[in-house]
Amino acid sequence: MKTKCGILMLITFITVTCVCKAQDSPKKTYQEQYRPQVHFSPKAHWVNDPNGMVYFNHTYHLFFQYYPKDIIWGPMHWGHAVSKDLINWKELPIALYPDSLGYIFSGSAVVDSNNTSGFGKNGKIPLVAIFTHHDPKGEKAGTEVFQNQSIVYSLDNGTTWTKYSSNPVLKNPGIKDFRDPKVMWYARQKKWVMTLATQDHISFYSATDLKSWKKESEFGIKEGAHGGVWECPDLFSLKLNGKTYWVLIVNINPGGPNGGSATQYFVGNFDGNKFTPIDTNTRWLDYGPDEYAGITWSNTGSRKIFLGWMSNWQYANQVPTQTWRNAMTIPRDLKLQQSKGEILLASKPVEELKNIHTKTVVLKQLQVNKTIDLSSKISGFKGQYVLKLNLAQLKDYSIKLSNKNGEELLIGYEAGKDQYYIDRTKAGKIDFQKNFAGRFTAPRLTAAKSSDITLVVDKASVEIFTDGGLTTMTAVYFPNSDFNNLTVITEGKLNINNMRITGLKSIWK
Ligand code: FRU
């Protein structure tokens, strides 16, 4: 947190200058350079973690860490957006403002169908959000107890929220990083379970009324990655071959597989009191540099839909956008899959992405001899498309997105190391922060002899889902002009069984 405050003071001057410049030459909103066209970003200003994601009355709610006065991190609010299909978003007025107890840090929201909280009135089901109150005065004073959990409720579909008069509901026991509550209903024991990030481990609490929380257990001091602080956890069940497993997501910053922020997960069992992992291996939900604080929507039944923040704390405050900063990933469906004797999480873009499909170009039995230029195939797609490749053989290849200035982003596979990579060292603007440029790698997590790769390409980001989603990578980039060229490159000959390129409509029109 100190780092964030430091950054805030240091670059306020630069940012004010940038915002003024942007105002001197206004561009239409959502048409600015680098503005994501198929991903959610707020109309203006700073965004980080997705918060309070809940499905209610046929609507997906997305709240988010938001600072409405600048394009750098500041006193946190909860911004709000809604969608009927997870793809097309409408931004609504700010849902939660900082108050005397502090800034509104990350948290979750639940549908309290049985009115366990007593907040429901006249038969109206309350939506209850649970978040961290971060007291900046306590932090400045050097106390350890400046993060506490509070609740708010809404009786009008999340439009307006009332803060509970006896907040906070869970007081800090003396742990500096004590935050990001994710709450779920544990039906078997008719109680709510809160999964809370407590510095270098997870603490589980339970309550029957969302107000009186009792500590159940801890997990993780010795398990998983520990290169940084544990933040934004999530706990949910998924079935595999008829058997129920529990997945514990733990975001960590820094200490990710490619530096900085990242999302790790554990698969195991949860009995309402305690989480027991199958093993203590470290696993990453996304190996790229730019997926963080990802968690899932509440109240979606057995479907588990994940969304992350598409950035990294290493440079989130410096990326070269001018009127807004940062965005969310594409929502992803999570499934468990068995591979090489392990139970892994596989991610894939939600089916609803088809709502913005335009035209599809299909190429079958394509033989690439060193290189093939596919630029003409994407020329009508304005830089937003899904590319799917299906390969019968495991050979080195790279997919190059490039522009007329010779800037390029490389995505590929190296058979020798059996790994995927994204290389943005020559992808345009890179020197705004020393860790931004880089070549990021991810292991191939299947023994299968064939391979598939799906890229979701937006104006300034790519998300990669390989081998049925077992390996996922996300990266942002900032070319000086759009990447209008697409080439596949290989050493000798490469046989592509099937290639599909589908254009995507902007969600802002
Ligand atoms: C994660 C995080 C959370 C915190 C929030 C503050 O990115 O640091 O732990 O609640 O951001 O904005």
Side-chain angles (χ1 to χ4, degrees):
M1 225 28 67
K2 263 189 190 144
T3 331
K4 285 178 203 166
C5 294
I7 290 169
L8 176 74
M9 275 152 52
L10 261 174
I11 57 181
T12 297
F13 169 70
I14 302 167
T15 309
V16 168
T17 320
C18 290
V19 170
C20 292
K21 264 194 194 152
Q23 281 162 358
D24 291 346
S25 54
K27 281 244 174 75
K28 270 194 160 166
T29 311
Y30 301 121
Q31 289 177 29
E32 305 91 338
Q33 190 182 23
Y34 309 131
R35 176 67 91 165
Q37 295 300 310
V38 302
H39 292 82
F40 176 79
S41 60
K43 206 171 211 166
H45 301 122
W46 168 269
V47 61
N48 58 289
D49 314 356
N51 293 151
M53 297 190 291
V54 62
Y55 182 61
F56 186 55
N57 277 347
H58 310 287
T59 301
Y60 292 95
H61 290 266
L62 165 61
F63 299 88
F64 47 91
Q65 289 286 278
Y66 187 51
Y67 183 43
K69 293 200 179 141
D70 211 331
I71 56 165
I72 49 171
W73 188 90
M76 284 289 109
H77 300 54
W78 273 25
H80 189 192
V82 285
S83 172
K84 293 283 176 202
D85 68 354
L86 295 161
I87 300 297
N88 292 286
W89 292 97
K90 181 170 175 232
E91 192 173 341
L92 298 178
I94 292 174
L96 298 176
Y97 286 78
D99 56 34
S100 61
L101 295 176
Y103 302 162
I104 315 295
F105 269 24
S106 288
S108 50
V110 295
V111 180
D112 184 13
S113 307
N114 302 325
N115 198 18
T116 61
S117 61
F119 291 142
K121 274 190 200 95
N122 307 327
K124 278 195 186 153
I125 294 177
L127 276 180
V128 180
I130 311 91
F131 63 90
T132 302
H133 254 131
H134 170 97
D135 172 19
K137 288 192 226 101
E139 183 186 22
K140 228 173 157 192
T143 70
E144 296 275 278
V145 292
F146 51 87
Q147 296 187 337
N148 300 285
Q149 319 318 318
S150 290
I151 55 177
V152 287
Y153 65 93
S154 169
L155 296 175
D156 59 2
N157 293 318
T159 312
T160 57
W161 293 84
T162 306
K163 285 176 179 151
Y164 177 47
S165 52
S166 301
N167 276 337
V169 290
L170 175 56
K171 288 205 181 127
N172 194 313
I175 302 176
K176 196 166 144 263
D177 298 289
F178 187 73
R179 57 177 179 268
D180 309 338
K182 180 74 166 47
V183 173
M184 56 143 197
W185 178 244
Y186 189 74
R188 250 192 221 178
Q189 294 174 11
K190 295 201 173 53
K191 67 183 187 187
W192 299 99
V193 171
M194 179 195 290
T195 306
L196 192 70
T198 47
Q199 209 154 334
D200 56 355
H201 62 280
I202 295 299
S203 297
F204 296 103
Y205 289 82
S206 73
T208 50
D209 58 359
L210 290 162
K211 294 170 183 163
S212 324
W213 294 95
K214 163 181 153 242
K215 188 161 171 186
E216 294 282 357
S217 63
E218 292 180 355
F219 167 77
I221 299 220
K222 296 212 179 84
E223 291 85 357
H226 280 278
V229 178
W230 283 22
E231 300 184 314
C232 299
D234 194 0
L235 176 72
F236 51 87
S237 63
L238 274 176
K239 281 203 165 151
L240 178 66
N241 302 329
K243 195 171 165 207
T244 300
Y245 293 88
W246 286 83
V247 177
L248 175 64
I249 285 182
V250 178
N251 285 277
I252 176 170
N253 176 57
N258 277 295
S261 326
T263 305
Q264 63 176 321
Y265 69 91
F266 303 87
V267 180
N269 185 36
F270 183 71
D271 62 5
N273 309 86
K274 199 172 174 308
F275 177 79
T276 314
I278 291 177
D279 60 43
T280 57
N281 294 350
T282 303
R283 299 195 172 86
W284 300 101
L285 192 145
D286 188 310
Y287 281 85
D290 295 313
E291 182 284 305
Y292 190 55
I295 49 171
T296 62
W297 258 275
S298 294
N299 203 37
T300 54
S302 58
R303 185 175 179 197
K304 286 293 150 204
I305 312 161
F306 173 92
L307 186 82
W309 174 46
M310 198 152 57
S311 194
N312 187 316
W313 279 117
Q314 291 185 119
Y315 41 73
N317 277 280
Q318 287 109 310
V319 292
T321 55
Q322 298 202 336
T323 53
W324 89 100
R325 217 184 235 137
N326 305 315
M328 298 302 171
T329 65
I330 280 292
R332 304 167 183 180
D333 269 303
L334 299 182
K335 292 250 150 44
L336 287 176
Q337 206 170 302
Q338 201 132 20
S339 184
K340 292 188 180 172
E342 296 186 54
I343 298 174
L344 302 176
L345 259 190
S347 322
K348 66 169 191 189
V350 293
E351 283 292 324
E352 288 87 340
L353 194 57
K354 71 176 182 320
N355 294 354
I356 53 168
H357 280 183
T358 58
K359 213 175 83 186
T360 300
V361 179
V362 182
L363 300 165
K364 286 207 163 120
Q365 304 307 335
L366 202 65
Q367 192 178 71
V368 182
N369 194 349
K370 293 215 162 114
T371 173
I372 184 165
D373 186 350
L374 299 164
S375 309
S376 64
K377 310 286 180 217
I378 58 160
S379 59
F381 294 163
K382 299 188 179 146
Q384 306 120 228
Y385 55 91
V386 178
L387 170 73
K388 283 180 190 246
L389 282 189
N390 192 291
L391 301 155
Q393 14 161 225
L394 289 169
K395 270 193 173 178
D396 285 30
Y397 68 86
S398 53
I399 301 168
K400 181 165 93 175
L401 314 189
S402 59
N403 61 17
K404 54 182 190 300
N405 312 346
E407 294 165 351
E408 61 182 43
L409 177 86
L410 295 173
I411 296 143
Y413 172 70
E414 298 172 296
K417 294 188 173 159
D418 203 18
Q419 67 182 20
Y420 294 97
Y421 63 87
I422 300 178
D423 185 338
R424 65 179 174 199
T425 52
K426 296 185 198 131
K429 296 188 179 109
I430 50 169
D431 50 10
F432 48 86
Q433 201 274 342
K434 66 178 180 12
N435 296 312
F436 184 78
R439 188 174 189 277
F440 311 102
T441 60
R444 188 163 188 270
L445 297 172
T446 169
K449 292 277 176 276
S450 61
S451 155
D452 61 80
I453 182 165
T454 299
L455 312 189
V456 178
V457 180
D458 202 340
K459 286 282 174 207
S461 67
V462 66
E463 286 155 281
I464 306 176
F465 304 87
T466 69
D467 306 308
L470 283 177
T471 300
T472 300
M473 294 182 92
T474 303
V476 296
Y477 44 86
F478 302 94
N480 286 299
S481 69
D482 287 353
F483 282 152
N484 290 328
N485 301 329
L486 174 68
T487 333
V488 177
I489 304 161
T490 174
E491 296 253 300
K493 289 196 172 89
L494 177 76
N495 293 317
I496 301 176
N497 287 343
N498 201 310
M499 175 185 292
R500 294 172 73 85
I501 316 176
T502 304
L504 297 173
K505 253 188 278 185
S506 168
I507 62 173
W508 303 121
K509 280 167 204 152

